Amino acid sequence: MTSAGNASFKVAIVGAGASGIATAVYLQRAGMAFTVFERAADVGGTWRDNTYPGLSCDIPSHLYRYSFAPNPEWSREYSPAAEIHAYFRGVAEKLGIIDKVRLSSEVTRAEFVGEGLWRITTTQGDEGLFNAVIAATGVLHKPVLPDIGGRDSFCGVSFHSSRWNHDVVLAGKRVGIIGTGSTATQILPAIVDEVESVSLFQRTPQWIISVPNNEFSEEKKRAFRKEPQKMAELYDHLNNLFNRRFAASLVGENDEGLAEMARACRQNLEDNVHDVKLRRRLTPSYQAGCKRLIVSDKFYPAIQRPNARLVDTRIMRIEPPGIRTNDGLMHELDVIVYATGFDPFAFFRPAVIVGRNGVSLNERWKESCQAYRSVAAPGFPNLFFIGGPNSPIGNFSFLRTAEVQIGYVTELVKLLSEGAHREVEPTEEATEAFNAEVEQAIKHTVWVTGGCKSWYFDKQGKVVSWPWSYGRFEADLKQPRMEEFKAA
Ligand code: N01
């Protein structure tokens, strides 16, 4: 097989989540043959895995959509998870992607075998050779359970938020939630009315901005259907708000915006938490925006319900009846929910990726994941990432980020399929220069200056995000700079 000539040119897309589906659409439009390998029995990625009560997207619905599939039917300004999952599956079905997805086929190994070719192995066996591999494996898919002693000794039921056990009836139960991130703050309000009691185990308080989640009226949806331009205008407005102004405030380019955000969070706390002591316990000591900002108008009312309890004494260990805190108190529980987040550095893993000269990417990225402009790595020709290291993370639309990267990667893959090159990979020099620039710029972002720790930090204490404006991200990834690539 040769990479020149379209007929035999084949791309492997790893993952049929939000970014994998969009990658397939771009390649299909470019007339390229591809197969999407998906480990699970359904498409939808994070929206398939996360089904916990109260889950909705914290990015406005009309911003959280593909550019090629605006959706007039969103029910709310921030739509619920099942609707979002249905949107992704619907797009995959409508655009004919679903037939090209190999479900229950987890890629276990991708190996560069020379001549521009990769051999792909899945849980189904050898899948043969591909001219390019695009890892669209998502960012938050590997759940993290906390390192707390005695977890296995608990007599009740426990599970991670992303593996919600729907067989467990919560009515009348004493529930403990560990964590105070986006997930925990959505779960608590959704279950508080049903359970006997809910205890929220908080290690670090969060800044929360209150945004109402209004329904779109039938009239509004009709208007969106009849005049798609109205949706486009709303998209532009939201994009400006989130991806321009908000993003700029995080990377040190909009200090007034950052101050405004901090004021809004403090005001929310003051307006909605009346007990002074509780308010103090819920007040973070770091700058708003340092951790991913939480969007909720429900959490503060919920934590003040008579059957809700904020536990901010550190957890000592888990014992058969429940959670013991450092003050010696035993919090007896029937259910423990671990809303303790994800390993954002798992990327394509546990798959093994072996590049040129038998070097494995797992080994190269063991301590720190370093890529070229978030989309490729030297030594791994024709391998590309969507949502790779240093992609913009934070409160942005992952779909827009992904589409920027997909557009860029499609350009490179086109060069391969048209026979201009057999192999492309970024140079070591360009990758090092990019990472050195990131290291300088990241120091000025609120993720570093804001005085908090978050999942943005890697094992070496480095924040792995895009440290510049969103505008720069789009400009940098508009077109490949071929002088920064080695092409054969
Ligand atoms: O996880 P997190 P998440 N003992 O890592 C605590 C996306 N998301 O699942 O802050 C006690 O933010 C930890 O405490 P601390 C979104 O990108 C999107 O909530 O480290 N506590 C923290 O409070 C989000 O940012 C939506 O001190 C422990 C919590 O667990 C990302 O997913 C909805 C602990 C983990 O918070 C992750 O959010 C939900 C321990 N040993 C999520 N270990 C949308 O709406 C950890 N914690 C799109």
Side-chain angles (χ1 to χ4, degrees):
M1 188 163 66
T2 138
S3 56
N6 269 327
S8 60
F9 189 87
K10 281 200 310 183
V11 184
I13 300 172
V14 188
S19 60
I21 293 169
T23 304
V25 171
Y26 274 61
L27 295 190
Q28 178 165 270
R29 291 189 172 172
M32 282 183 250
F34 60 87
T35 304
V36 188
F37 295 102
E38 167 55 51
R39 79 178 150 84
D42 190 10
V43 302
T46 194
W47 298 103
R48 173 203 59 228
D49 290 347
N50 285 274
T51 58
Y52 62 75
L55 175 58
S56 66
C57 189
D58 59 7
I59 299 295
S61 307
H62 280 276
L63 184 59
Y64 197 78
R65 52 84 163 150
Y66 297 128
S67 64
F68 51 84
N71 177 23
E73 310 304 331
W74 291 123
S75 64
R76 291 183 167 273
E77 288 178 31
Y78 297 84
S79 295
E83 206 178 308
I84 299 171
H85 186 205
Y87 167 79
F88 287 121
R89 197 189 296 104
V91 169
E93 283 166 357
K94 195 166 156 205
L95 300 184
I97 300 303
I98 207 91
D99 301 333
K100 306 205 174 112
V101 179
R102 290 268 313 280
L103 296 171
S104 307
S105 303
E106 177 173 357
V107 172
T108 52
R109 188 178 177 87
E111 183 171 2
F112 183 68
V113 293
E115 307 282 306
L117 295 170
W118 285 82
R119 178 171 295 285
I120 297 285
T121 311
T122 69
T123 41
Q124 307 290 333
D126 180 8
E127 304 287 353
L129 298 174
F130 291 82
N131 304 82
V133 179
I134 304 179
T137 42
V139 183
L140 301 171
H141 56 85
K142 185 179 170 200
V144 169
L145 290 171
D147 190 14
I148 299 173
R151 265 193 359 241
D152 293 340
S153 70
F154 181 54
C155 282
V157 188
S158 61
F159 45 85
H160 188 269
S161 56
S162 68
R163 303 288 182 269
W164 195 269
N165 184 343
H166 291 277
D167 294 337
V168 177
V169 178
L170 292 182
K173 299 269 167 56
R174 299 161 302 172
V175 180
I177 304 174
I178 302 182
T180 47
S182 310
T183 301
T185 48
Q186 289 188 332
I187 295 173
L188 187 130
I191 65 169
V192 69
D193 285 338
E194 187 187 350
V195 297
E196 182 187 310
S197 66
V198 53
S199 305
L200 185 80
F201 292 84
Q202 168 186 281
R203 188 164 66 179
T204 315
Q206 290 270 8
W207 286 115
I208 300 178
I209 197 155
S210 176
V211 181
N213 187 8
N214 297 317
E215 265 186 86
F216 286 114
S217 64
E218 272 313 311
E219 192 189 343
K220 192 95 191 164
K221 288 191 234 170
R222 233 187 341 268
F224 285 148
R225 269 178 232 130
K226 259 179 68 184
E227 294 172 75
Q229 184 52 30
K230 283 200 159 53
M231 269 190 293
E233 282 160 16
L234 179 55
Y235 182 91
D236 288 344
H237 164 72
L238 295 168
N239 184 42
N240 186 42
L241 208 64
F242 280 76
N243 292 340
R244 301 242 149 76
R245 286 186 51 210
F246 180 69
S249 70
L250 300 179
V251 296
E253 293 182 12
N254 178 8
D255 290 346
E256 181 42 40
L258 195 63
E260 200 184 307
M261 184 201 317
R263 275 196 298 274
C265 290
R266 194 168 285 280
Q267 197 65 51
N268 180 30
L269 189 58
E270 280 172 16
D271 290 350
N272 294 301
V273 179
H274 306 296
D275 178 86
V276 178
K277 256 193 183 154
L278 180 65
R279 196 189 300 158
R280 201 170 49 233
R281 292 164 66 207
L282 287 169
T283 305
S285 57
Y286 54 86
Q287 169 89 51
C290 184
K291 284 174 182 274
R292 183 180 163 122
L293 194 65
I294 291 181
V295 179
S296 174
D297 61 348
K298 297 193 175 66
F299 177 72
Y300 288 148
I303 193 71
Q304 293 171 89
R305 301 295 294 271
N307 62 336
R309 208 167 302 135
L310 178 75
V311 182
D312 53 357
T313 307
R314 287 288 175 101
I315 296 172
M316 183 192 289
R317 62 175 173 267
I318 296 177
E319 297 180 13
I323 296 179
R324 190 175 295 283
T325 41
N326 275 349
D327 50 10
L329 266 183
M330 164 53 66
H331 305 262
E332 292 194 4
L333 300 166
D334 304 304
V335 180
I336 297 176
V337 177
Y338 295 108
T340 41
F342 301 86
D343 171 8
F345 303 105
F347 294 109
F348 54 86
R349 291 172 271 207
V352 172
I353 294 188
V354 182
R356 211 185 270 295
N357 305 322
V359 175
S360 109
L361 190 54
N362 304 44
E363 199 47 46
R364 252 190 105 137
W365 281 8
K366 209 162 110 196
E367 293 302 321
S368 193
C369 304
Q370 293 210 333
Y372 166 80
R373 298 188 195 281
S374 78
V375 289
F380 297 83
N382 304 4
L383 170 72
F384 306 103
F385 315 113
I386 309 303
N390 292 106
S391 298
I393 45 175
N395 299 71
F396 319 126
S397 171
F398 175 67
L399 300 193
R400 187 170 174 118
T401 298
E403 279 198 62
V404 169
Q405 293 168 329
I406 294 164
Y408 178 96
V409 167
T410 303
E411 288 304 309
L412 287 168
V413 178
K414 261 197 217 157
L415 291 177
L416 298 172
S417 79
E418 289 163 3
H421 306 291
R422 193 177 57 186
E423 293 171 5
V424 284
E425 68 184 279
T427 63
E428 291 281 0
E429 298 73 40
T431 307
E432 272 168 29
F434 170 74
N435 281 284
E437 230 193 314
V438 165
E439 208 170 318
Q440 286 310 312
I442 207 90
K443 293 178 188 160
H444 307 291
T445 66
V446 69
W447 307 309
V448 174
T449 61
C452 77
K453 281 277 169 270
S454 70
W455 59 262
Y456 302 162
F457 287 81
D458 71 6
K459 271 196 233 165
Q460 301 195 322
K462 285 198 306 198
V463 169
V464 185
S465 185
W466 186 262
W468 304 287
S469 71
Y470 206 83
R472 172 159 173 187
F473 174 69
E474 295 188 328
D476 272 16
L477 271 77
K478 204 173 165 67
Q479 204 79 57
R481 301 174 198 183
M482 290 315 291
E483 68 277 15
E484 297 187 347
F485 283 86
K486 249 187 355 198

